[in-house]
Amino acid sequence: MFSSKDQFKKTFLKRLEMLCGKGFNESTERDHYQTLGNMIREYVSKDWIRTNEEYRSKNEKQVYYFSIEYLLGKLLRQNLINLGIESVVEAGLDELGISLDELEDMEADAGLGNGGLGRLAACFLDSIASLDLPGHGFGIRYKHGLFEQKFVDGYQVELPEQWLRHGNVWEVRKADMAVKVPFWGQVETKMENERLVFRHINAETITAVPYDMPVVGYRTSTVNTLRLWNAEPSPFPVHKDILKYKRETEAVTEFLYPDDTHDEGKILRLKQQYLLVSASIQSILNSYLNTYPNLEEFHQHVCIHINDTHPVLAIPELMRILIDEEGMGWDQAWYITSNTISYTNHTTLTEALEKWPIRIFRPLLPRIYMIIEEINERFCHDLWEKYPSDWQRIENLAIIAHDQVKMAHLAVVGSFSVNGVAQLHTEILKQREMNQFYQLFPEKFNNKTNGIAHRRWLLKANPKLSELITDKIGLAWYQNPIELRRLLDYQHDQAFLDELDRIKHDNKRRLAEVIYKQVGIAVDVDSIFDVQVKRLHAYKRQLLNILHIMHLYNRIKEDPSSDIVPRVFIFGAKASPGYYYAKKVIKLINAVADKVNSDPQISNRIKVIFLENYRVSLAEKVFPAADVSEQISTASKEASGTGNMKFMINGALTVGTLDGANVEIHELVGDKNIFTFGLSSEEVLHYYQYGGYQSIEYYHHDSRIKQVVDQLISGFFPNVYNEFEPIFDSLLAENDQYFVLRDFASYVDIQQQIGVSFKKRNEWQKKSLINIANAGYFSSDRTIKEYADGIWKIKPIKGWD
Ligand SMILES: *Cc1c(COP(=O)(O)O)cnc(C)c1O
C-alpha cells in the first residue's frame, strides 16, 4: 500500500471510506489522520508479529526495560521516516491536497513523562529497535499525561492533559492478556510438607490490561513492543461498594505524577509502581514459561532493567514468585533475581531519593514488605560479618531504617549492575553519594553516558540541516552517527559554512513564527537566540539566567549606548504544581519579560520570550533554531542532561557549567567551542562539606548583584507585592544553596564573550560545525550498544558491525 504514490492514494481513499464512513469531500483532517495512522499500524503489524515469532523461536536473551515514564511525543512522522515511506506518503497526500504537517498537528503528544528520565526511555526504545535488539518497554498508560501549562497573569496554571480524547491510533488493547495484581489483605503463614508457605489472603485485586504499541526501528523489519498497563476493576469484586471500588481502581492509572524530584508520598504512587512491576513480571513469565520448562535459568534468558528506583519492587516481586509460586529456596531465588535486575541511578539529589514509610508500605503490600524485611535482615547480617561492630556503617547501608524503606538501597543490593548516566555523575556516585556501597560492590558500578535519538532530534526535527549533511557525507550517519565527524573536513569550506548559517536562519524564522503566534511578539532573527528549555528547578538555575537579563536591562538603562549584542532569551519550563519556589521563578521570568518587551529602549536590544507548555513537539521546533544552549546547573547537581545534546547536534553552542554530560561535550569539542563558567563540582561539593560560602558577601561586594537582588523586592516590578520575597530570601537569608550569586560574575563575563564571538560570524559557524560533527557520540545508539554489551549481554537479532 506504500509501494508508490498512486498505490498509496488508492488505498488511502478506500480506507478513509471504510474507517470513517465518509467520502473524501466530507472528510475532516482528523479522519485523514486516523486513516493514515491505521494504515501504518496495519503495515507494521506483519513485521511486528514476525519479530515476536523470531524472538520466540530463536531463544535469544531478551531485555525488558521498566520505566514509570515514557515521554514519547508524536509518533506519526517518526514512524514514516523509520519505515522509509515518508516521501511517498507526503507526496501522495499532497496530491490529495492534504498536508502531512497539518496531519501531524492532529496527533496529541504522548506526554507520559515529566522530562529527561521519560524522554531517555523513549530515545532508548528507538535505538533498541533500530539496532535490531530484542528489547521491550513496560510502562503505565496514564489517562492524563503531564499537565498542560498555561500562563495567566504570568502565573502557571495547570490543565489536565487529554491525549486519549480522540483515541490512540498506535495502541492495541490486549484484553486476553490481562493479569491480576493484589493489594491490601494479610499474609497467612503455614507449615506444609515441612516447609513454610505464605499466602496473600483477603487481597483486593486490580486487573491490569495491556495496551501494546509497536516500536518501529529505523529501516529494519524489527518491531519491538511498548506495553502500557491500564488499571481496571476485576470482574467479580468481593467488595461491598462496587462503585467506590471501580473509582479507586481506575484512579491508579489516571494521572502521571507531575513531580520528578520530590518523593510524592502518596499511596496511589506506590500502587502505580507495584502495578507496573507485578503486571510486567507476570506477563514476562507467561511468555517465558511457554518456551522454558521452569525458571531455574531465568537470569540467563531475561534481563530486567529498572529506570531509576520507581520499578525497584521488581526485586521483591520476582523473589515472591520464585519462592511462593515456584517453591524455590531463598538462596536460589536470590541468585536468580539479583542476576536478572540491573539499575540506573538518575540523581544524587537527596530530596529525590525515594523512601517509603513502613506504615504506608506494609498494609498495602504485606507480602512484598515481608520479603524486603528478609532481604534487609540477610544483608545486614552479611554486613555485620564484613564490618563487625561498625553500627554506623550498617545503619547507613540498611534497606530499612528509621521506619522507612530506602528504594535506592534495595536497588543496589538486589541488582547485578548499577550505572550512572554521565562520567561525572558516576564518579560522584562512586566516590561520594554511594561510596559505602561502592566499597562493598565495586564490580556492580559502571557508567553509561546518556544519549538522544539522533533520528528524532536531528533527522526529523531539522530536515534542512539533515539534507545538507547528507549532501556532504552521505547517508551513513543515519545509522552510524559517529560518521558526523566527517563534517570536520568542511571547517574551512566557506560555502558550506554559509549554508549552515542560512539553514539556522531559516529555522530561526520558523521559530519566530511560532513565537509570534503564541505570544504576539515579533523577534528579530538576526539576534542571538539564547535558549533555556527544561523543567523548572532550583538546581537548574533559571534564576541565574533571569538575573543576568535584569542586569543587562540595568546596563542599557544606565548607558543606552552600551555594547550589547541583540539577543532573544527564550525559556520553556514546567514547574511541578506543588513546587512553590519554582512557580515563583516562572512568575519572575514572566515579570521580567513584560518589563523588557514593553520598553522600546530595551526591547530593540533584548527580548524575553517564555513559551507555554514545553513538551517534545515544541522542543523539536526550538532546538534547530537555537544559537546558544543554556546548561547552567549548579555543578554536581545535573546527573547528565540530554537537552544539552539535542542543542549540540543542532549546532547551538553551549554556555554551561562543568556538570553532567557538559563535561563530556567539553572534552569532545575542546575549550574553544564551548563557553564554560562557574564553580567546578569539586568546589561545590567542598563548600557543601566544609562551608565557607557567604552569599551576603557577594551581594555587598558586587554592585551589579546588589542591584538585581534588590530589584526583587523594591517595587521594580509593577503590581506585585512581596511576590519575589521568597526568591530574595533564598539568595540571602538561606545563603543561596545553589550558588547563583557565587557564579553570577563569571556568568556575566562569559555571556559578554558570547556576544563578541557571535558577531564573528565565520568563527561562530565553524564552532557550530565542530559541535555538530562531534555530537554523534551522544546518539542513544551508542548508549544502547554499551548497555547491550556491558550490562544486558544481548545480541542483535540480525547483527550489527
Ligand atoms: C530532552 C527533554 C528534556 C530534558 O531536558 P534537560 O535539559 O536535559 O533537563 C525535558 N523535556 C523535554 C520535552 C525534552 O525533550
Side-chain angles (χ1 to χ4, degrees):
M1 70 185 122
F2 297 107
S3 55
S4 73
K5 201 168 52 177
D6 292 330
Q7 190 63 45
F8 166 73
K9 274 162 54 185
K10 222 168 88 189
T11 319
F12 180 84
L13 291 173
K14 207 161 77 197
R15 262 330 138 70
L16 177 66
E17 285 180 3
M18 271 166 38
L19 195 73
C20 308
K22 294 180 189 172
F24 183 66
N25 291 333
E26 34 174 351
S27 61
T28 64
E29 222 148 49
R30 181 158 310 285
D31 297 329
H32 303 157
Y33 168 73
Q34 295 285 350
T35 303
L36 180 58
N38 272 282
M39 283 172 70
I40 298 168
R41 214 192 53 223
E42 186 194 317
Y43 180 68
V44 159
S45 62
K46 250 199 216 96
D47 281 339
W48 201 3
I49 292 166
R50 203 163 30 194
T51 303
N52 282 323
E53 276 167 1
E54 195 147 304
Y55 289 156
R56 263 198 298 277
S57 66
K58 285 218 175 122
N59 294 355
E60 287 287 352
K61 190 175 184 187
Q62 309 270 315
V63 65
Y64 298 98
Y65 195 80
F66 285 16
S67 179
I68 202 91
E69 302 190 2
Y70 289 91
L71 196 52
L72 299 169
K74 302 188 189 217
L75 300 173
L76 176 65
R77 192 183 283 271
Q78 189 71 57
N79 281 340
L80 291 174
I81 292 173
N82 286 7
L83 291 165
I85 56 177
E86 186 195 20
S87 51
V88 167
V89 168
E90 192 149 30
L93 288 173
D94 201 48
E95 288 188 5
L96 294 170
I98 301 169
S99 135
L100 182 57
D101 281 335
E102 281 167 24
L103 291 201
E104 222 187 337
D105 291 340
M106 290 289 109
E107 180 170 18
D109 272 50
L112 309 182
N114 276 289
L117 175 141
R119 184 56 229 173
L120 185 76
C123 288
F124 279 6
L125 292 182
D126 178 284
S127 287
I128 291 171
S130 297
L131 294 167
D132 295 315
L133 286 165
H136 310 277
F138 279 102
I140 293 178
R141 182 179 179 268
Y142 303 104
K143 185 171 173 196
H144 303 286
L146 186 59
F147 66 86
E148 218 176 279
Q149 179 193 53
K150 287 241 176 320
F151 296 140
V152 174
D153 198 18
Y155 296 99
Q156 168 174 294
V157 172
E158 302 101 24
L159 306 174
E161 188 279 345
Q162 307 249 34
W163 72 296
L164 293 173
R165 188 171 31 205
H166 303 288
N168 171 10
V169 289
W170 308 114
E171 70 186 11
V172 185
R173 180 181 164 95
K174 299 260 173 78
D176 57 324
M177 293 167 95
V179 295
K180 289 193 173 132
V181 180
F183 294 96
W184 310 107
Q186 300 84 35
V187 178
E188 187 186 69
T189 311
K190 276 199 309 208
M191 277 308 264
E192 261 176 33
N193 304 328
E194 294 175 37
R195 194 170 176 278
L196 265 184
V197 294
F198 303 91
R199 271 185 47 217
H200 188 175
I201 57 170
N202 299 327
E204 184 177 291
T205 68
I206 291 180
T207 300
V209 180
Y211 284 72
D212 286 357
M213 292 168 78
V215 182
V216 177
Y218 179 79
R219 305 283 163 106
T220 161
S221 54
T222 300
V223 180
N224 290 333
T225 302
L226 171 59
R227 174 161 287 184
L228 301 177
W229 296 103
N230 193 45
E232 300 180 13
S234 296
F236 304 106
V238 278
H239 217 281
K240 282 176 285 213
D241 189 342
I242 290 183
L243 282 179
K244 179 163 173 269
Y245 165 70
K246 181 171 183 294
R247 206 170 48 240
E248 286 181 358
T249 300
E250 287 166 354
V252 173
T253 53
E254 190 125 308
F255 289 100
L256 165 78
Y257 274 84
D259 193 324
D260 58 354
T261 54
H262 297 83
D263 159 32
E264 193 74 34
K266 295 276 159 51
I267 287 186
L268 260 187
R269 176 110 172 179
L270 194 54
K271 278 191 177 173
Q272 290 181 339
Q273 296 185 353
Y274 186 63
L275 183 96
L276 165 62
V277 152
S278 172
S280 304
I281 292 182
Q282 289 183 60
S283 136
I284 293 167
L285 290 179
N286 286 342
S287 84
Y288 185 88
L289 290 171
N290 279 331
T291 309
Y292 302 95
N294 57 50
L295 298 176
E296 286 179 8
E297 294 178 346
F298 188 67
H299 57 290
Q300 292 171 18
H301 303 290
V302 169
C303 182
I304 294 175
H305 196 92
I306 58 175
N307 192 25
D308 214 322
T309 57
H310 320 117
V312 76
L313 299 182
I315 292 165
E317 175 66 1
L318 191 51
M319 287 297 284
R320 185 190 67 74
I321 288 168
L322 295 173
I323 292 170
D324 294 1
E325 295 179 13
E326 295 292 310
M328 262 181 211
W330 182 276
D331 290 337
Q332 189 185 8
W334 183 247
Y335 180 80
I336 293 172
T337 300
S338 56
N339 281 289
T340 299
I341 310 280
S342 47
Y343 157 62
T344 296
N345 174 286
H346 281 270
T347 181
T348 57
L349 302 182
T350 41
E351 66 272 28
L353 291 178
E354 282 195 294
K355 294 185 188 101
W356 287 98
I358 294 174
R359 96 195 119 71
I360 289 180
F361 198 114
R362 182 156 42 185
L364 185 68
L365 302 167
R367 179 62 183 135
I368 294 299
Y369 182 74
M370 275 178 87
I371 291 170
I372 296 175
E373 255 186 337
E374 174 126 16
I375 295 172
N376 184 51
E377 272 165 31
R378 287 170 183 253
F379 174 57
C380 290
H381 180 267
D382 291 350
L383 287 175
W384 182 256
E385 308 250 285
K386 195 169 159 98
Y387 305 108
S389 331
D390 193 346
W391 286 108
Q392 188 57 55
R393 184 186 294 256
I394 296 171
E395 188 185 321
N396 293 344
L397 293 173
I399 297 165
I400 302 174
H402 308 289
D403 300 320
Q404 288 184 320
V405 183
K406 298 179 169 180
M407 306 293 254
H409 294 201
L410 180 56
V412 175
V413 173
S415 64
F416 67 89
S417 168
V418 177
N419 75 280
V421 292
Q423 277 169 20
L424 176 67
H425 168 60
T426 300
E427 282 313 303
I428 291 173
L429 282 182
K430 294 202 301 198
Q431 305 308 333
R432 291 180 178 257
E433 301 304 320
M434 290 197 170
N435 179 254
Q436 291 190 330
F437 277 111
Y438 178 58
Q439 290 177 34
L440 199 55
F441 309 118
E443 72 290 347
K444 291 192 186 186
F445 283 77
N446 63 93
N447 176 247
K448 297 287 170 282
T449 297
N450 279 168
I452 55 164
H454 69 284
R455 286 171 295 266
R456 176 175 289 262
W457 296 108
L458 177 54
L459 186 57
K460 172 177 186 293
N462 200 341
K464 289 188 183 117
L465 177 56
S466 300
E467 203 181 315
L468 176 67
I469 293 171
T470 303
D471 256 10
K472 286 291 169 200
I473 65 168
L475 293 162
W477 66 273
Y478 292 8
Q479 278 160 306
N480 190 12
I482 216 73
E483 288 274 314
L484 289 171
R485 281 193 64 88
R486 290 178 48 203
L487 292 171
L488 291 175
D489 296 346
Y490 300 90
Q491 284 179 65
H492 309 290
D493 181 334
Q494 189 58 46
F496 184 76
L497 294 179
D498 288 344
E499 271 299 285
L500 263 188
D501 201 35
R502 193 186 56 75
I503 288 166
K504 181 64 80 182
H505 224 255
D506 263 15
N507 291 333
K508 287 166 79 171
R509 198 171 302 127
R510 284 197 308 164
L511 183 62
E513 281 167 22
V514 172
I515 289 171
Y516 190 77
K517 270 199 205 124
Q518 210 190 84
V519 292
I521 292 175
V523 296
D524 171 14
V525 292
D526 289 325
S527 47
I528 304 175
F529 276 25
D530 177 318
V531 186
Q532 187 172 21
V533 286
K534 50 182 73 249
R535 282 299 287 254
L536 212 137
H537 265 293
Y539 83 84
K540 290 177 184 279
R541 297 200 298 191
Q542 281 93 352
L543 182 60
L544 177 58
N545 190 342
I546 201 70
L547 290 179
H548 169 248
I549 296 168
M550 289 167 67
H551 163 66
L552 292 182
Y553 175 100
N554 295 334
R555 266 186 64 197
I556 298 171
K557 280 291 167 193
E558 274 155 33
D559 175 11
S561 72
S562 62
D563 188 23
I564 290 171
V565 182
R567 227 193 263 226
V568 183
F569 293 94
I570 297 166
F571 291 86
K574 289 179 184 175
S576 184
Y579 192 170
Y580 176 76
Y581 173 85
K583 289 182 149 181
K584 286 287 172 191
V585 175
I586 286 183
K587 174 67 176 167
L588 176 63
I589 297 169
N590 279 320
V592 173
D594 280 349
K595 192 113 184 149
V596 165
N597 300 337
S598 64
D599 183 336
Q601 187 189 20
I602 304 295
S603 70
N604 62 10
R605 316 281 287 283
I606 60 177
K607 283 200 171 67
V608 179
I609 304 294
F610 199 157
L611 292 169
E612 278 173 335
N613 204 29
Y614 179 58
R615 62 197 184 284
V616 171
S617 58
L618 180 59
E620 287 173 32
K621 297 175 181 146
V622 169
F623 291 114
D627 295 308
V628 174
S629 158
E630 296 273 352
Q631 308 299 335
I632 59 178
S633 54
T634 308
S636 81
K637 295 283 183 188
E638 186 75 86
S640 161
T642 49
N644 45 3
M645 304 168 186
K646 300 168 197 165
F647 279 108
M648 178 188 184
I649 208 167
N650 281 285
L653 303 197
T654 304
V655 53
T657 49
L658 286 174
D659 197 16
N662 300 351
V663 174
E664 287 157 76
I665 295 178
H666 177 237
E667 273 172 24
L668 281 163
V669 302
D671 271 334
K672 289 207 178 77
N673 301 298
I674 186 170
F675 300 93
T676 61
F677 73 99
L679 292 174
S680 68
S681 59
E682 292 86 34
E683 289 168 322
V684 168
L685 293 169
H686 191 275
Y687 273 135
Y688 281 133
Q689 197 167 355
Y690 301 104
Y693 173 53
Q694 299 291 339
S695 62
I696 195 90
E697 290 172 7
Y698 290 81
Y699 170 82
H700 283 304
H701 294 144
D702 187 331
S703 61
R704 303 167 302 180
I705 293 178
K706 183 162 193 313
Q707 187 176 14
V708 295
V709 171
D710 286 343
Q711 282 168 333
L712 294 172
I713 54 162
S714 69
F716 175 73
F717 299 104
N719 311 321
V720 293
Y721 177 72
N722 281 358
E723 180 75 47
F724 303 124
E725 211 170 82
I727 297 176
F728 180 88
D729 286 344
S730 78
L731 292 172
L732 297 179
E734 294 156 30
N735 198 31
D736 183 20
Q737 293 301 298
Y738 296 95
F739 303 99
V740 173
L741 305 189
R742 179 70 178 74
D743 281 347
F744 184 84
S746 84
Y747 186 58
V748 171
D749 285 350
I750 202 82
Q751 287 288 20
Q752 174 73 25
Q753 286 177 41
I754 286 172
V756 173
S757 181
F758 187 77
K759 284 204 292 193
K760 301 177 186 159
R761 294 310 301 147
N762 236 26
E763 279 175 39
W764 184 275
Q765 284 314 326
K766 196 176 136 199
K767 292 180 203 290
S768 170
L769 174 61
I770 289 169
N771 272 268
I772 299 167
N774 283 290
Y777 177 76
F778 294 113
S779 165
S780 47
D781 287 2
R782 187 268 311 151
T783 313
I784 285 299
K785 284 185 191 185
E786 291 180 5
Y787 276 89
D789 293 341
I791 301 177
W792 302 335
K793 314 289 182 198
I794 56 168
K795 292 197 300 286
I797 290 300
K798 287 163 192 149
W800 75 56
D801 294 337

